[in-house]
Amino acid sequence: MPIYQPGVTTDSYSPDQLVAGDFPRATRSVTLITGQNLPRGAVLGKITASGKYTLSLSASSDGSQVPSAILVDSCDASGADQSIGIFETGEFLGSALTLGTGHTLASVRDALRDVSIFIR
């Protein structure tokens, strides 16, 4: 028989499994360029000319083809640039990442490892 305690409630928690280990995570705020609606865990690249971030696509030629960060929280930037949080370091589950066109886990793993982001 459950014990009733006044003021105590329970909620269910369902983690998304993005974070996959104890390697220290570092975050910071950057700008996500207009025209995209991205989920938590999207693999981002930095546009060299503007310093803004976008979903990393392997065919890009503006610098963003090189994966360099992971999006902390989902963000809708379809109407305007948005300030977002990125993971600059950490250990993440590959199956929880969103990859841009032309990228695979194998193709992003080395580039992300170079910036201390490790994929399991």
Side-chain angles (χ1 to χ4, degrees):
M1 182 169 184
I3 299 173
Y4 175 74
Q5 293 184 339
V8 175
T9 61
T10 62
D11 288 318
S12 61
Y13 172 67
S14 180
D16 64 6
Q17 303 297 317
L18 176 62
V19 176
D22 295 330
F23 189 84
R25 289 175 297 283
T27 61
R28 73 177 172 109
S29 295
V30 298
T31 301
L32 182 66
I33 198 163
T34 303
Q36 42 199 337
N37 185 0
L38 299 176
R40 171 176 162 83
V43 175
L44 305 176
K46 183 178 179 181
I47 300 169
T48 305
S50 66
K52 296 178 182 180
Y53 284 75
T54 187
L55 184 65
S56 183
L57 308 174
S58 68
S60 294
S61 58
D62 58 5
S64 68
Q65 68 275 13
V66 179
S68 60
I70 295 177
L71 184 61
V72 172
D73 292 309
S74 298
C75 180
D76 185 355
S78 43
D81 288 358
Q82 296 291 322
S83 179
I84 58 165
I86 59 169
F87 289 111
E88 292 187 303
T89 64
E91 195 172 357
F92 303 93
L93 187 62
S95 62
L97 298 177
T98 298
L99 304 175
T101 304
H103 279 308
T104 64
L105 286 178
S107 72
V108 301
R109 183 171 272 122
D110 288 343
L112 290 173
R113 186 177 54 233
D114 289 345
V115 294
S116 297
I117 295 176
F118 302 98
I119 307 302
R120 282 188 167 183

